[in-house]
Every structure is written in structure tokens, then in C-alpha cells.
Amino acid sequence: MLPTWWLRAAFARRLSDMYGAEVPAYTTLLQVSAQVNDEVIGKGGDAGRLGGIERVTAERHGAIRVGTPREMRQVAQIFAAFGMRPVGFYDLREAAASSVPVVSTAFRPIDAEELERNPFRVFTSMLTTADRRFFDADLQGRLESFLARRELFPPELLDLAARAEREQGLDEWPAERFLTLAVAAFELSREPVDRAWYAELERISAVAADIGGVAGTHINHLTPRVLDIDELYRRMGERGITMIDRIQGPPRWDGPDVLLRQTSFRALAEPRRFREPDGSVAVGSLRVRFGEVEARGIALTRAGRALYDELAGEPAEVWEQRFPRTERQLAVQERAFFRYEPGGDRPRDDRTPPDDLAGLLDGRWVSARPIVYEDFLPRSAAGIFQSNLSDEGTRDSAAQGAHYDQQWLSGVLERPVHDPFDLYAAQQNSSLRQARQALGLPKDTP
């Protein structure tokens, strides 16, 4: 029996190989990321504070797009076979200045042990066909009819996924078959694209066309993790690869790395076959896939996130005035999440440890290790999407928008969508209770 985590790691590796073969610039991105990571570690960088070099170098996240609740539910079944659960709800319609008619979640492991084994995650977006700001009734009907006729995932793949989830793994032969089918489901389709239909959707949104104008889904990007994203951004430019105009997320500053910084090279023109109105097939090109890279920091609490949102877009000088400058400040101000352990160099005499977190940290009674941010930022995700679009599309802001939220998505998926703050808080609180117990303190924090 090959366990769930093994299947997840194998899936991530095979997707990476497939995407590298289809998008050669992604292979360059991997090479430059590895060089930068090696140099950061060689200069004494402490990668272990945020996951360790083995995890950082193996880490990926992917992104896919689907068109309907049925397709989203099927994706959830496939990823559940890899131990990846839906976490978070992201409304990119509101986060993007351009026309991006999708709502999203991320499928990822949720247990700390599973994240350490392999943290692969896939940001998954679904088209909001009922939103009148983008699609009138006629176009909604035609679009939903088109989507209903296609089959993204063969029944054999879905059956194997359900079996793998139920049995928490697969034997060798069905595992091989499952992985082969799963990777193939996210390859770029070779079916000709109906040029007129694609163009009609593209006038609304390039993202809508990429989802609803083609026969299948595909990996839009795979994202390695790097320890110095600013240096990587510079080196990719030196390699002659056109990057988007900036790095999304928090600024580079002298304080702790928090949340997520990400950037990408621009979507490349890739040859695609088009079916013309007269029935003939011609070769053209589309720009829909790009290479993203990310640098992950410490997960913030709701209070920390509120402060981040206030400072979003502000320069480093403002951050240095208003944001906590040290991990200790983040911890005692309850702005970020940490994993607490009894301090290895804590006092060994008969003194009673203090009952407050600041005293426990200052007296080295406990140590605090940052919890890595495993999720995404709507504004940053929308920024990446926008930066890779050829134009902004159109939307009727006076029309009524359709309501989608986390509860709705849980119903669609027939499984709970986890709140990321709750997951981080559970990790932190469990570790703090254990540390306090080891020190002879009451388990509950004061």
C-alpha cells in the first residue's frame, strides 16, 4: 500500500515534469530558484525557521481553473485522494481591478505532519457564470450548456480517487494508473479551440475564455518556493525572461518575513489549433500559462492580518514604523502564529515559570518557532492574474453580482471548506498547552 502522502509527493513531481516539458521557461525558473536557495543557505540563511531546506526545495503550488460546481466537486474528490482538503475562500471578482469572474479555494494538507511530508497545494478557481456583471442571461445559458457537454475527468480517475481516499492509499498498480490519469487530466488539451466562441468569452474576460472556451482544464502555473525572491526576480530578467512588473505581497523590509510574496514571468504565447467558422483548422497562439514563484513567511492571526491589510501597498518605511519588528513582538502582541516548545536552555533551578507568554519567552522557558503561511492572498492572486492578461476585459458594475461564499462552496463540494485561521490557531494552541504542561503550568493560557 502506497500511503496518501506518497501519492501526493509523486503527483507533485510528475506534474512538475509535465509542466517543464510543456513550458520550458518553468525549468529555467526551477534552476534559478535552486541556485538562489543554495546561495542563501551557503551564506548562513536560516531556512529551518520556515520549513527547512529540503521542504523549501521540494515545495510547489499549482493553479487550475474549472467551470462548474460539478467540475469543482470532481476536483475535490481527486485532491482528497492526495490528502488535500479545501482551505479558504477567495473572491477574485472583488480583489481584481480587471475582469476576473472566479471564486477560488486552495486544496492542501491540513495536518502539521502531512505538511512536513509534502505541502503540495493547488489554488483552484471556478467560473461565476451566474454573475450578471460579466455574463448576461443568453451568454450564461450558452456557456453553461458548453460546460455541461465536456468531461474533464474520466470515470476511472474518479473511481480510483474515491478508492484512494477511502483506503488512505493505493496498491502499486492502481496507484500508477491513478497518477497517470491524474497528471494527464491537467495537460494542455490538443483539441482545436473554437475561435469565435473563445473570442466572444475573451471580450468579457481572458480568464473566462481560458476556462469556458476550451475542451479541458490544465495547469496554469506551477510555483516553486525561493528564499530570496528579489534576487530571483533580478536573475530571471538577466536570463532574458520577461517578468511581471512587480513582486506581489508585503514589501522587502528588515523585519520578519510574513505571509506570502510572489511574482511570475509573463504568460507566454503558445501555439494552439483553432477551428475557424468555416470548419477549417488553423494554427494560432494563446497566452494563458505562466511561471510563478513564491517566498513564504509567518502565518498571521486575524489581528495581524488586519494590520497587514491596512499597510498593503505601503513602502517598507511605513512597515518599519507600524508593523512588529521582531518575532517576539509578533508573538506577544498576538499578531502571528507560532509553535511553542519547552526551551532547551530554560532555567533548571526551583524557580516557578511565569504564567504569561512574554515572561516565558524572555526567560527562555519556552521557544517559539514560526508557523509557515500555507495559504494565499486574494489581492496578490488577483495581481498575478491581472499582470498576465492581455487586456482588462469588460464588466457591468451596475448589474447585480451573484452571491458566493465559503458556506456555499462547502455545499458544492459536499465537504467542509476549512478556515485557515482556525487551522493555524489549533496548531499553536495545542503546542502551547503541551509546553505549559511540561513546565507544570495549567494547560489553559491565562
Side-chain angles (χ1 to χ4, degrees), residues 266-399:
R266 290 192 60 82
L268 304 173
E270 299 178 90
R272 300 286 287 274
R273 298 167 67 218
F274 288 88
R275 190 171 303 283
E276 306 294 352
D278 63 4
S280 63
V281 175
V283 175
S285 67
L286 290 175
R287 293 179 180 269
V288 296
R289 300 196 297 176
F290 49 92
E292 191 175 275
V293 64
E294 65 188 15
R296 291 192 171 267
I298 307 170
L300 298 183
T301 64
R302 294 184 191 278
R305 181 59 182 273
L307 179 56
Y308 166 77
D309 288 340
E310 284 183 33
L311 299 180
E314 296 287 352
E317 294 78 11
V318 176
W319 273 63
E320 289 166 1
Q321 295 170 6
R322 296 192 54 196
F323 205 83
R325 297 291 300 273
T326 65
E327 289 184 7
R328 180 196 176 281
Q329 290 175 340
L330 284 171
V332 299
Q333 294 179 27
E334 298 183 353
R335 298 284 192 176
F337 291 108
F338 294 84
R339 190 173 291 109
Y340 295 99
E341 298 176 352
D345 57 351
R346 67 184 186 273
R348 299 294 179 176
D349 52 29
D350 293 332
R351 281 184 290 165
T352 300
D355 205 36
D356 64 296
L357 181 58
L360 290 171
L361 289 170
D362 292 342
R364 298 191 299 278
W365 294 93
V366 298
S367 62
R369 181 173 293 275
I371 294 177
V372 178
Y373 186 64
E374 305 288 350
D375 298 289
F376 298 90
L377 302 173
R379 192 175 302 173
S380 294
I384 295 284
F385 276 38
Q386 278 177 217
S387 296
N388 283 289
L389 299 178
S390 54
D391 60 59
E392 294 189 355
T394 59
R395 78 160 86 191
D396 181 1
S397 297

Side-chain angles (χ1 to χ4, degrees), residues 37-51:
N37 288 339
D38 286 345
E39 291 176 14
V40 170
I41 297 300
K43 294 176 181 176
D46 188 6
R49 295 291 293 167
L50 292 166

Side-chain angles (χ1 to χ4, degrees), residues 51-321:
I53 189 59
E54 290 186 3
R55 172 176 165 172
V56 168
T57 53
E59 192 162 342
R60 300 281 189 280
H61 93 246
I64 63 168
R65 301 164 178 170
V66 296
T68 67
R70 175 175 175 267
E71 292 174 353
M72 195 70 158
R73 191 160 48 248
Q74 291 174 336
V75 161
Q77 177 61 82
I78 293 168
F79 290 146
F82 296 115
M84 300 159 65
R85 312 298 176 190
V87 179
F89 177 83
Y90 306 91
D91 195 336
L92 269 59
R93 299 173 300 167
E94 310 305 329
S98 55
S99 180
V100 182
V102 300
V103 294
S104 312
T105 190
F107 292 92
R108 67 166 177 88
I110 60 175
D111 297 325
E113 184 177 345
E114 287 295 301
L115 286 164
E116 286 301 316
R117 283 173 165 165
N118 184 276
F120 185 56
R121 56 187 82 77
V122 179
F123 190 81
T124 305
S125 301
M126 190 199 77
L127 201 56
T128 55
T129 57
D131 195 319
R132 286 289 175 268
R133 292 174 296 179
F134 307 99
F135 309 104
D136 62 27
D138 173 67
L139 182 54
Q140 177 191 0
R142 290 184 291 123
L143 178 54
E144 290 180 351
S145 294
F146 176 89
L147 294 169
R149 292 193 299 270
R150 72 182 186 181
E151 182 181 82
L152 298 185
F153 310 109
E156 183 184 5
L157 170 60
L158 297 172
D159 289 345
L160 285 169
R163 176 178 165 187
E165 181 185 17
R166 185 172 60 250
E167 299 179 3
Q168 299 182 47
L170 289 170
D171 290 330
E172 185 174 354
W173 185 87
E176 179 61 32
R177 179 64 177 161
F178 175 53
L179 288 167
T180 298
L181 290 171
V183 172
F186 299 109
E187 292 177 349
L188 192 66
S189 173
R190 305 303 174 192
E191 290 293 315
V193 176
D194 185 318
R195 189 185 292 275
W197 174 237
Y198 193 96
E200 182 177 1
L201 292 175
E202 194 173 30
R203 285 192 289 273
I204 303 295
S205 165
V207 174
D210 181 48
I211 299 172
V214 296
T217 189
H218 50 256
I219 287 286
N220 281 97
H221 61 261
L222 273 177
T223 303
R225 182 175 163 190
V226 71
L227 295 173
D228 186 342
I229 196 169
D230 299 273
E231 178 62 15
L232 178 133
Y233 187 92
R234 185 184 68 79
R235 291 192 189 185
M236 290 293 287
E238 289 179 349
R239 295 276 191 114
I241 294 178
T242 303
M243 304 295 285
I244 64 172
D245 58 357
R246 67 188 183 91
I247 296 170
Q248 303 284 335
R252 186 184 183 107
W253 73 310
D254 292 333
D257 294 326
V258 298
L259 295 176
L260 175 69
R261 302 181 73 210
Q262 56 191 149
T263 190
S264 80
F265 60 73
R266 290 192 60 82
L268 304 173
E270 299 178 90
R272 300 286 287 274
R273 298 167 67 218
F274 288 88
R275 190 171 303 283
E276 306 294 352
D278 63 4
S280 63
V281 175
V283 175
S285 67
L286 290 175
R287 293 179 180 269
V288 296
R289 300 196 297 176
F290 49 92
E292 191 175 275
V293 64
E294 65 188 15
R296 291 192 171 267
I298 307 170
L300 298 183
T301 64
R302 294 184 191 278
R305 181 59 182 273
L307 179 56
Y308 166 77
D309 288 340
E310 284 183 33
L311 299 180
E314 296 287 352
E317 294 78 11
V318 176
W319 273 63
E320 289 166 1
Q321 295 170 6

